[in-house]
Amino acid sequence: MNRFHSLAPVILCLGLLAACGGEAPSPGDDESSSGPPATSSGDVPTGGGGTKMAPGSVATIHLFSLYRMQGQAEGIPCLAGGIQPLAAAAETKRLALEAGEASYLIAVGDMLLPTGIGDVHPARNLSSRTRASVVLEAMAVAGVDLYVPGQADLAHDPDWLLNKCAKLNIPVLMTNVSVVGHDETLLTKVIENNGFRLGCLGITRAHTIREADRDLVNAKKARVTANVTSKRLESNDMADFVIVFSNVAQSPSLAMTKLPSVHAVLGTLGPDEGAEKGAMLRDGALYMMVEPMGREIGHTTIRIVDGDLVNVVNMSPVHELPRKVEAHQQELESYVERFGTDDLVTLAQLVTPDNPDYFLRKAMQINENREYVAELLDHTGSAFDHRPAAAVEIPDDSPVLAKLATLPDRFVRAYEEVDFGPLRTPDPEMEIPHPDSCLDCHQAQYDFWKTTDHAGAYETLKGIGMDYDVLCLGCHTSGFDTKGGYRDPREEAPFGPVGCFDCHGTTFPHFGMPGAVVDTLFTSSEADYMECYSCHTKERSPNFDRDTQTERVRCPPMGGDEPALVKAWHVALGTIERREESGNLLERDAHRKVRALVGLGRIEEAIVEVGAIMETNRRDVRLAIELARRLDEVGRSDVAIDTIRTFVRSNPGHPLANEEYVRLLLEASDPSLRDPQAALRELRFILPPKDSSEGEDTDGENVSFRVLRVDALMATGQQQAGAQELMELGARHAQDTRVLRRLKRYFGGVPEAFKR
């Protein structure tokens, strides 16, 4: 079976700026490869000559794939208008079948439960089992043709899982994993259409199987098994193409593209989600990517014309081209708006003054690429195509949605049928405080919290009948499945809805405990420590903007003269001083003493303490930064700058110390001590020159310093240089919170080109 090792190049306009698509070529560079190339054959690995197709026939197979849905088959229940992946996949397949197309629905990876769910608590596991059961039934209704279970699905109870699948007639494909007593699972599956045969392998993981089930499960090495099995399909003339549905990590999935008898691998995007979607040629095989958690439905089309398994073209890049051309058009329009002219020659001088010809060439390529797309879409012949499936409208009477809608009742029935014994008696001094317990000392903060959506999070869950669902409780209650928290859904949020503990991390009782009083989270300078994105993911909160949303839930600060706070500072300081007298100071007590003195307004005493600490602190950068910030917050920016400068001199190459020093020079609370020119001088020593061969931020390590350079350039009146720096950052790091803040601050919002 021959395999081609080259992919016809698809040359794109990768950006108008050097930073938007690689370094701009210097004048005189060879550009013979620019512009739309002619399409060539051999774009995908070719099959053998043993196809059974009749001359003049066409074989087309459509594969619709869901990847690692992680239990959210119905989407996010509390998100109106959200994605409903399983129902959408079922409707997509139904429409294709209705059109007379040979279509198959493939489920790969953890479909029933989130990766990492383990055997932790019987009542918690009942909730997981109930959801898994309903999702499996919905998969059967959806018409899933092949299911490659993930490790969480298998870890829950492999025997139960496979029995349930057999009862529901869901074919399970596991090439490298076998379970004792389950000979019905498939090692391979051959799909045939008009004489063309597609061999399917399912590779998964089984590393988290429960101790009780380990004798039942036999897992073989993924790559070795895929190699042996694909060769057997080839040598026995059982398949013309072999595709691997992989539920292992991206690196071993990519390694399977090197196997001589494998033609395509469907896997994850992995940690590098900047990789091109669609299909890319790797080592002679196609690697196809599908976003997990139901964010998209993969659509793979294999079309073989007249038995031609040699001249097969990869059509996947075609679907990315229109989006990219449109993004580059938006980028061009943003420059027009920014500089107030649509004259390309003038824009070239403003945007890339060192090489205006480069900008002009890239601008001209936008139209050339549009024409190229039109030519490719007219292609006919044998082809392999992979892309996200087009959105479909799900009918109101969808049987999949009807099955998933039974979840609330199934949860109630499940807990009625099982006796777990009495609920535990609440501890009056529980480790995690209920917000009501904070009321005595924090009346204003409690009253404000009651007005936020967080305070009603659990009631929202109860309102839709999902208050027994372990997939929901972690983000709608406080303390679920955490240390010191609870795991039994029947307890009905004993620590309350999303509240004080979730942002501050303060345990109860903390009054009189210096560490808890002094080191609480979420002061004005520490909001970045909040774990907002653990719940507000792009699936659950697609329009979530932390900068805006944080202000909506930020409690009002306690006034420095509030009796409860003053008393707490005095108690904390007294405790620390007693430890000091007895020689039993704890590691952070010196820092806590500074915080307590500042809280009590004894600033000069705090400064003396800071000086004593910094005389011996030569390595703890976080301590130096915290001390400097405390002093800056109370108006002593002079001492704050001296404190961090002293540490920088002892550790000249420390990135965090240098970053804080530059930040203070730009943002000191005392405006008279801000020195943006000095900040620029410091940055020249820290950042490599822009034309350095080292590159500036290929790995993102210098983003912190580059956004500070934007601030310094803007503060010194160098708006054009600052804007260009920010545009370059936006092109590469548009999702970085630090970059987003600057785009909003200086441009009034995020340019359209960076939202794509």
Side-chain angles (χ1 to χ4, degrees):
M1 194 179 288
N2 300 318
R3 304 204 329 158
F4 279 57
H5 294 274
S6 63
L7 180 65
V10 179
I11 305 300
L12 302 172
C13 166
L14 294 180
L16 302 177
L17 278 174
C20 298
E23 295 298 324
S26 59
D29 281 355
D30 177 24
E31 296 185 358
S32 59
S33 62
S34 64
T39 303
S40 68
S41 63
D43 286 346
V44 300
T46 60
T51 177
K52 309 303 182 185
M53 293 179 64
S57 62
V58 177
T60 304
I61 293 175
H62 296 271
L63 305 174
F64 299 106
S65 50
L66 283 169
Y67 197 84
R68 292 182 184 169
M69 196 164 56
Q70 303 213 22
Q72 296 288 5
E74 77 277 34
I76 309 300
C78 54
L79 180 62
I83 300 170
Q84 297 169 309
L86 188 56
E91 181 65 9
T92 302
K93 176 190 169 183
R94 187 191 70 79
L95 292 172
L97 290 172
E98 198 173 78
E101 303 287 355
S103 304
Y104 301 85
L105 180 54
I106 317 296
V108 183
D110 292 324
M111 304 299 291
L112 314 180
L113 300 167
T115 302
I117 279 190
D119 184 23
V120 290
H121 189 284
R124 186 190 194 286
N125 281 347
L126 179 62
S127 174
S128 300
R129 173 71 62 87
T130 302
R131 170 169 281 280
S133 186
V134 174
V135 171
L136 275 174
E137 292 166 19
M139 286 169 59
V141 173
V144 168
D145 297 285
L146 286 177
Y147 168 36
V148 182
Q151 62 177 347
D153 294 354
L154 286 168
H156 188 66
D157 186 338
D159 191 55
W160 172 86
L161 172 68
L162 296 181
N163 282 333
K164 183 82 174 178
C165 287
K167 182 178 179 181
L168 295 170
N169 294 316
I170 298 176
V172 175
L173 177 64
M174 294 193 297
T175 306
N176 68 316
V177 174
S178 61
V179 178
V180 173
H182 289 280
D183 297 334
E184 76 280 5
T185 59
L186 304 173
L187 297 177
T188 62
K189 172 70 174 178
V190 176
I191 297 172
E192 187 169 346
N193 179 257
N194 273 359
F196 170 69
R197 300 159 304 173
L198 176 67
C200 303
L201 277 60
I203 299 296
T204 190
R205 292 179 287 183
H207 302 310
T208 56
I209 299 298
R210 300 181 305 173
E211 186 72 34
D213 295 325
R214 287 184 183 168
D215 290 339
L216 299 176
V217 179
N218 178 32
K220 299 177 182 177
K221 291 184 177 179
R223 189 171 182 272
V224 173
T225 305
N227 187 32
V228 171
T229 310
S230 60
K231 282 183 176 179
R232 185 168 65 247
L233 288 174
E234 176 187 26
S235 61
N236 292 338
D237 192 23
M238 298 170 64
D240 303 308
F241 268 59
V242 175
I243 182 171
V244 176
F245 298 106
S246 174
N247 181 50
V248 296
Q250 188 180 48
S251 179
S253 293
L254 285 169
M256 281 185 274
T257 61
K258 299 182 180 185
L259 302 178
S261 299
V262 169
H263 300 87
V265 177
L266 184 139
T268 181
L269 291 172
D272 179 17
E273 295 205 5
E276 291 294 319
K277 295 182 184 179
M280 59 181 178
L281 197 70
R282 290 291 298 259
D283 301 303
L286 280 165
Y287 188 74
M288 306 177 296
M289 292 158 281
V290 180
E291 285 209 53
M293 296 187 69
R295 289 198 289 262
E296 69 182 22
I297 301 163
H299 182 186
T300 305
T301 304
I302 304 171
R303 181 179 61 184
I304 305 299
V305 177
D306 201 23
D308 184 1
L309 293 173
V310 175
N311 301 302
V312 184
V313 176
N314 175 23
M315 297 295 289
S316 304
V318 176
H319 307 288
E320 284 292 289
L321 283 171
R323 183 190 64 79
K324 292 187 177 183
V325 171
E326 178 63 21
H328 299 140
Q329 180 67 40
Q330 292 281 350
E331 184 185 355
L332 180 59
E333 290 172 2
S334 72
Y335 290 130
V336 171
E337 182 180 353
R338 176 76 181 162
F339 294 104
T341 178
D342 60 1
D343 181 73
L344 290 180
V345 175
T346 304
L347 283 175
Q349 294 290 345
L350 291 170
V351 177
T352 54
D354 297 333
N355 193 355
D357 288 343
Y358 172 71
F359 182 95
L360 287 171
R361 286 192 299 274
K362 290 298 182 184
M364 297 299 184
Q365 280 183 344
I366 292 176
N367 286 330
E368 293 177 17
N369 281 328
R370 268 201 196 93
E371 295 171 4
Y372 177 47
V373 170
E375 292 172 7
L376 272 181
L377 291 176
D378 290 335
H379 169 77
T380 57
S382 295
F384 194 109
D385 183 21
H386 179 78
R387 66 189 187 277
V392 296
E393 184 175 346
I394 303 172
D396 293 336
D397 61 350
S398 163
V400 176
L401 290 184
K403 174 58 68 175
L404 293 170
T406 66
L407 263 169
D409 288 340
R410 293 282 289 273
F411 280 128
V412 172
R413 282 166 41 199
Y415 282 92
E416 287 176 346
E417 293 169 1
V418 179
D419 181 13
F420 290 112
L423 297 175
R424 65 176 178 173
T425 302
D427 184 344
E429 294 190 356
M430 294 181 289
E431 183 175 349
I432 298 174
H434 192 289
D436 291 350
S437 65
C438 305
L439 181 59
D440 290 344
C441 297
H442 303 282
Q443 178 74 54
Q445 291 73 29
Y446 179 86
D447 290 344
F448 171 80
W449 168 79
K450 289 289 286 185
T451 68
T452 67
D453 291 341
H454 284 167
Y458 184 62
E459 289 304 315
T460 298
L461 204 58
K462 291 186 72 173
I464 60 173
M466 303 299 281
D467 46 313
Y468 280 170
D469 190 349
V470 296
L471 293 194
C472 302
L473 287 168
C475 288
H476 283 259
T477 70
S478 187
F480 182 74
D481 203 21
T482 61
K483 182 181 178 182
Y486 76 109
R487 287 172 173 161
D488 189 339
R490 300 173 303 152
E491 292 191 47
E492 297 190 349
F495 306 108
V498 180
C500 312
F501 174 78
D502 298 286
C503 291
H504 297 272
T506 304
T507 54
F508 179 86
H510 66 265
F511 183 78
M513 299 169 59
V517 172
V518 180
D519 294 332
T520 53
L521 297 178
F522 201 20
T523 64
S524 60
S525 63
E526 292 171 334
D528 284 347
Y529 293 137
M530 291 176 59
E531 295 292 339
C532 303
Y533 291 119
S534 62
C535 285
H536 292 284
T537 62
K538 57 184 177 181
E539 293 83 25
R540 299 187 184 107
S541 304
N543 300 315
F544 181 75
D545 176 27
R546 194 177 73 166
D547 285 345
T548 303
Q549 300 297 328
T550 297
E551 293 304 317
R552 292 178 57 186
V553 298
R554 189 194 301 272
C555 295
M558 293 190 75
D561 57 351
E562 288 189 37
L565 183 59
V566 171
K567 184 177 180 180
W569 287 130
H570 277 297
V571 171
L573 186 60
T575 302
I576 293 169
E577 288 176 342
R578 285 193 294 275
R579 288 178 187 165
E580 192 173 17
E581 291 170 1
S582 63
N584 295 317
L585 277 175
L586 302 181
E587 183 179 359
R588 288 178 56 84
D589 276 351
H591 163 250
R592 290 167 180 155
K593 185 176 182 180
V594 171
R595 289 283 303 269
L597 289 169
V598 169
L600 292 169
R602 294 156 61 175
I603 307 302
E604 295 305 319
E605 293 178 62
I607 290 173
V608 172
E609 292 292 331
V610 169
I613 293 171
M614 293 309 296
E615 283 182 6
T616 58
N617 179 34
R618 295 291 183 267
R619 291 290 178 266
D620 190 342
V621 65
R622 295 191 181 278
L623 175 59
I625 290 173
E626 287 176 7
L627 293 172
R629 287 184 179 180
R630 297 298 152 258
L631 294 171
D632 185 56
E633 286 172 0
V634 295
R636 292 306 303 267
S637 302
D638 54 336
V639 184
I641 292 172
D642 284 342
T643 297
I644 203 69
R645 183 191 290 125
T646 299
F647 190 88
V648 167
R649 286 173 177 168
S650 301
N651 303 270
H654 201 295
L656 290 177
N658 280 293
E659 180 184 346
E660 185 64 17
Y661 181 44
V662 172
R663 191 194 67 78
L664 281 171
L665 291 173
L666 291 169
E667 303 173 4
S669 64
D670 183 348
S672 67
L673 293 175
R674 295 173 189 168
D675 192 345
Q677 290 288 0
L680 275 177
R681 287 195 298 271
E682 289 295 323
L683 288 166
R684 290 192 189 103
F685 290 110
I686 297 167
L687 287 170
K690 295 196 73 174
D691 58 355
S692 168
S693 60
E694 298 176 30
E696 280 214 332
D697 66 339
T698 54
D699 55 5
E701 288 184 357
N702 289 322
V703 173
S704 296
F705 292 113
R706 292 192 66 190
V707 295
L708 290 173
R709 183 160 64 188
V710 170
D711 294 338
L713 288 168
M714 294 295 192
T716 54
Q718 302 178 63
Q719 273 76 19
Q720 184 172 325
Q724 181 168 332
E725 178 98 12
L726 185 52
M727 290 296 284
E728 294 174 3
L729 276 170
R732 293 184 180 179
H733 306 286
Q735 302 307 312
D736 189 296
T737 302
R738 298 162 295 183
V739 176
L740 284 172
R741 287 173 183 166
R742 269 67 178 189
L743 289 169
K744 294 172 185 175
R745 181 187 305 171
Y746 298 118
F747 292 167
V750 182
E752 285 298 320
F754 299 155
K755 294 179 181 178
R756 297 173 179 270

